[in-house]
Amino acid sequence: MSIGEMAAVLRRRWYVMVPLTLLGLLAGLHLYRSVPVAYQSQSSVALLDSTAVAELAPAFGNPISNAGGSLVVTADVLIRTLSGADAARDLHGLGVSDPYTVGFAANTSGPMLTLTVTGTDRAKVLKETSTLTAFAGEQLNALQAAAKVQPAYFVQTAPVVLPQTPVPQLKSRYQQVLGVVIASVTAGFTLSFVTETLVVARRRRREAAAAAGAPKARVRRRLPRRPVDATALLSGYLGLAFFIPSNLTLPGMGGVGTPANVFALLGLFWYLATWLTGRIRPAPGTRLPRVVMWLLAVSVLASYLANAARGSTHKEVLGADRGLIGLLVWVSIVVLVSAGIQDRARLDVLMRRAVVMGSVVAAIGYYDFFTATNIAEHITIPGLHSSVAQITTLDRGAFTRPRSTTAQPLEFGGMLALMLPFAVQQAFDPVRAHLSRLRRWGPVALMGGALPLTVSRTSIIGALIVVLVMVPRWKPQRRWTAIGLLIGSVACFKVAVPGLIGTITTLFGSFLSNSDSSTQARTVKYSAIVPYLEEHPLFGRGLGTFTPDLYFFTDNQYMLTLAEMGLLGLLALLALFLAGIHQGGAIRRLAAGESDRELGQAFFASALVALVSSATFDALSFPMFAGMFFLTIAAGGSHLGFIRRGTPAEPRPVESPCPPATTRTGLAQPVP
């Protein structure tokens, strides 16, 4: 269904769309006038060590000030204490009845706290902020007194920023109004197409009954035209995801508000409109990706309800809302790929475009590495702002770790490792044999060569998985040629980039000897997750709530999933990985030709890369990696459906891989 056809449906069913839109506008106006303006005041407190610590007191004098050897730990203890139920009850007795938050000050690595109070009475909010600031110092003294610390060794609090004059928070007010308006417009949009479907179905029944006893009329044929299909929409999503830096988002939406994610949500509306009017039906044999997405959706909704029931902070509520938006984006990608693409040729076109765009992102990574800079720092787009407080280039050893247009070098390496198997498969595809070697093997060289430049264990492990999964399945001549090229590539890197191979070898050596500081920091956090898991073992705390500014970095998607979605979420995540592995194996087992068998092996390798890489960083927190992961999972299910139905792709020229305009392959007939 094209945009013009969608507009025609909305125009015909104006009696559904217009009233609901007006109702939403009136409800938004009522909220704007009735909801009071919230005011917010902040103060900052720094922790200062005692003067007696310098005298080398016995047993370090104060166990609280030396817990972990840093006052940052002391600040964390104080934050948890002030955020507890007992402290909230004591503050309520002191007159602090409005919501308050306590956390580490932004853009600081020292023991500095920010205290925030939000309410509707400006004078009361200022008074409550002063009370909370004084109470923080009293609570720290009470903690140290309970630990029988001598007063000379007390850690002191020093107000750095006094309670500020409360400022109005109009953002939350506008968000409520906008949410009501969006909900009404969405309801009107959906009901308009439902009404159109019912009316058209009734009209067809009448015409069929009338035509049963009447002579056949001459049907006027229309000139065929190619409509907008799922592949075109997903190509637009890929362009936005790859070429707009991941840190640039729409205001107020956080990390999930990237233009690519918003475009994916609009694509979901297109699919719903096309599906409701009977223009498209999911193809047989493509159900598995949508089934596992339903399991993930159930776990996310259960964690969202668990977060609402436990009395979470305002930041956690916002994080849970963003988690729901992220879930809708993932569902959009899976539905558009697995149910929206009805033609094998169009699915092949989508995967080729993904590989080509990924190779361009890899080429940008070369620029970052050899110029010791980051190109994303110089990209600004009007209307978008950075969701990251500060973007800096990361170094390891003597090398700058590139991240291209991604949010972090780990995401850059993980995404390339995810797409590398498909670049290799397309290079060997017989349909592309007539192309030059540069066009076939250029993406493989760009992606594979960029992986070591990230100076990351995640990238090297991903590359090794691709090699170990794909190379042993090749014929001996191709296998030994590939091994020789790999050995030659290592030698070229050793000559072209002196010290790179040694740095990577040292990384793995320190990892195996357990002497690497980053590895130790990650393993220490594993035990820190246990208390949060014990509080909510089944459903977790809510997707998107375990943020570093409130808790800490996990650097492990499985640990993060346990904290945010509990055991049910972990099972759903493992089901996604296993579904991808199963689809790749099934494609290879059922395929009739060598090209399809290699494609199945590529899906198998990509899913295995995602499975292993998720243990090295919080993979689904990064929009580009998450988008490519769900796209490959859905593409595997769609390819498996084509293989099971026995409809292999016909030979076609690569310069024009799309079907001719005289066929309407984008619109499938309803499947009985």
Side-chain angles (χ1 to χ4, degrees):
M1 176 175 283
S2 64
I3 297 178
E5 292 173 329
M6 296 170 64
V9 172
L10 296 177
R11 185 169 58 251
R12 287 195 297 269
R13 308 306 164 195
W14 63 268
Y15 52 84
V16 177
M17 187 69 186
V18 173
L20 287 175
T21 303
L22 290 177
L23 183 62
L25 292 175
L26 292 175
L29 180 61
H30 174 71
L31 280 177
Y32 182 81
R33 300 184 62 180
S34 60
V35 174
V37 178
Y39 295 91
Q40 189 177 88
S41 176
Q42 290 184 340
S43 65
S44 296
V45 175
L47 302 189
L48 303 179
D49 211 341
S50 63
T51 57
V53 169
E55 301 177 4
L56 299 178
F60 297 105
N62 185 345
I64 294 180
S65 66
N66 288 275
S70 172
L71 289 181
V72 175
V73 182
T74 311
D76 183 63
V77 171
L78 182 58
I79 290 173
R80 296 175 186 272
T81 303
L82 295 175
S83 301
D86 294 338
R89 186 169 51 252
D90 295 339
L91 285 169
H92 193 274
L94 297 175
V96 181
S97 57
D98 289 321
Y100 70 91
T101 59
V102 183
F104 284 103
N107 301 326
T108 182
S109 58
M112 185 175 294
L113 282 62
T114 296
L115 315 175
T116 306
V117 178
T118 305
T120 56
D121 189 335
R122 185 191 294 262
K124 183 182 178 183
V125 167
L126 181 59
K127 181 179 179 181
E128 289 175 336
T129 307
S130 302
T131 303
L132 178 61
T133 304
F135 182 78
E138 297 171 0
Q139 197 71 8
L140 180 60
N141 292 336
L143 285 173
Q144 297 176 97
K148 298 181 180 180
V149 178
Q150 299 179 14
Y153 298 102
F154 271 19
V155 175
Q156 303 297 325
T157 59
V160 178
V161 178
L162 297 177
Q164 300 293 295
T165 302
V167 294
Q169 301 295 305
L170 300 177
K171 178 180 176 180
S172 59
R173 190 185 195 185
Y174 292 146
Q175 285 177 339
Q176 295 178 12
V177 174
L178 189 60
V180 171
V181 174
I182 292 176
S184 63
V185 173
T186 303
F189 181 89
T190 305
L191 292 178
S192 296
F193 284 91
V194 171
T195 305
E196 175 76 9
T197 303
L198 297 176
V199 172
V200 171
R202 185 174 61 179
R203 183 185 305 160
R204 287 176 178 173
R205 287 195 299 268
R206 290 178 178 177
E207 292 176 353
K216 295 183 178 181
R218 185 176 180 180
V219 180
R220 183 181 179 183
R221 295 185 178 181
R222 295 181 178 180
L223 292 176
R225 60 176 180 175
R226 182 173 189 82
V228 176
D229 63 352
T231 299
L233 292 175
L234 288 164
S235 299
Y237 165 78
L238 289 175
L240 294 174
F242 279 123
F243 302 134
I244 295 182
S246 300
N247 61 292
L248 295 181
T249 61
L250 295 174
M253 295 188 64
V256 298
T258 62
N261 287 350
V262 175
F263 189 85
L265 293 177
L266 295 178
L268 181 61
F269 279 105
W270 171 87
Y271 176 81
L272 290 176
T274 310
W275 176 72
L276 288 173
T277 53
R279 302 291 187 88
I280 194 171
R281 288 290 183 270
T286 61
R287 185 180 301 175
L288 182 58
R290 297 190 295 277
V291 170
V292 292
M293 282 304 299
W294 272 113
L295 179 59
L296 180 66
V298 169
S299 63
V300 171
L301 293 176
S303 67
Y304 186 85
L305 295 177
N307 174 70
R310 66 180 176 89
S312 56
T313 63
H314 180 64
K315 285 187 176 182
E316 289 177 315
V317 171
L318 293 179
D321 293 340
R322 297 188 186 103
L324 285 183
I325 297 175
L327 172 66
L328 286 177
V329 173
W330 301 340
V331 170
S332 303
I333 297 173
V334 171
V335 168
L336 285 173
V337 177
S338 64
I341 300 180
Q342 304 289 309
D343 187 10
R344 168 69 185 272
R346 296 295 286 164
L347 185 59
D348 291 339
V349 168
L350 177 66
M351 297 306 297
R352 288 177 184 172
R353 289 174 179 173
V355 169
V356 170
M357 295 182 189
S359 62
V360 174
V361 174
I364 298 174
Y366 283 88
Y367 171 83
D368 289 347
F369 180 83
F370 288 106
T371 60
T373 184
N374 182 253
I375 195 172
E377 298 177 0
H378 310 291
I379 298 178
T380 57
I381 299 177
L384 303 180
H385 71 93
S386 178
S387 59
V388 183
Q390 186 177 5
I391 304 175
T392 57
T393 56
L394 299 178
D395 299 329
R396 176 166 284 173
F399 305 101
T400 299
R401 303 175 64 189
R403 66 180 186 89
S404 188
T405 56
T406 64
Q408 219 263 356
L410 285 174
E411 183 187 18
F412 178 61
M415 184 274 296
L416 293 182
L418 204 66
M419 300 302 299
L420 181 60
F422 303 103
V424 175
Q425 181 270 329
Q426 293 176 17
F428 285 119
D429 192 352
V431 177
R432 299 166 56 85
H434 66 283
L435 297 179
S436 64
R437 292 186 178 182
L438 179 62
R439 292 184 59 180
R440 288 186 290 121
W441 291 99
V444 178
L446 288 173
M447 291 184 181
L451 287 173
L453 301 183
T454 60
V455 200
S456 169
R457 284 182 291 262
T458 300
S459 301
I460 303 302
I461 292 174
L464 288 176
I465 291 175
V466 174
V467 172
L468 293 177
V469 170
M470 300 194 71
V471 172
R473 305 290 298 188
W474 292 343
K475 295 180 180 180
Q477 181 180 359
R478 182 192 295 180
R479 184 191 312 147
W480 290 111
T481 302
I483 293 175
L485 288 175
L486 289 174
I487 296 175
S489 300
V490 173
C492 290
F493 270 106
K494 194 171 184 62
V495 175
V497 189
L500 179 62
I501 302 300
T503 302
I504 295 175
T505 305
T506 304
L507 280 176
F508 281 93
S510 60
F511 170 76
L512 296 176
S513 62
N514 198 25
S515 60
D516 181 60
S517 58
S518 63
T519 304
Q520 293 175 353
R522 292 179 182 179
T523 54
V524 166
K525 294 174 183 176
Y526 295 166
S527 60
I529 290 288
V530 175
Y532 300 103
L533 180 61
E534 292 176 347
E535 293 178 3
H536 307 278
L538 189 57
F539 302 127
R541 308 174 65 85
L543 177 64
T545 60
F546 205 85
T547 55
D549 57 338
L550 295 177
Y551 301 99
F552 51 85
F553 286 102
T554 55
D555 290 327
N556 186 310
Q557 184 60 49
Y558 299 107
M559 296 294 104
L560 182 62
T561 302
L562 278 175
E564 292 186 338
M565 294 188 290
L567 295 175
L568 181 61
L570 181 62
L571 291 177
L573 181 64
L574 292 176
L576 277 170
F577 294 139
L578 295 179
I581 294 174
H582 163 73
Q583 290 172 167
I587 291 173
R588 181 167 186 91
R589 185 175 64 256
L590 300 176
E594 184 63 27
S595 178
D596 285 339
R597 283 195 288 270
E598 290 186 353
L599 179 62
Q601 200 69 10
F603 280 111
F604 185 94
S606 179
L608 193 60
V609 166
L611 173 70
V612 176
S613 298
S614 295
T616 61
F617 74 112
D618 43 338
L620 298 185
S621 299
F622 296 94
M624 190 181 298
F625 182 92
M628 295 306 104
F629 166 70
F630 285 102
L631 187 142
T632 55
I633 291 293
S638 186
H639 270 292
L640 180 58
F642 287 120
I643 296 296
R644 284 175 172 170
R645 296 195 301 273
T647 55
E650 298 179 357
R652 58 202 179 281
V654 180
E655 289 81 5
S656 180
C658 306
T662 56
T663 60
R664 296 176 59 89
T665 53
L667 302 180
Q669 295 298 327
V671 179

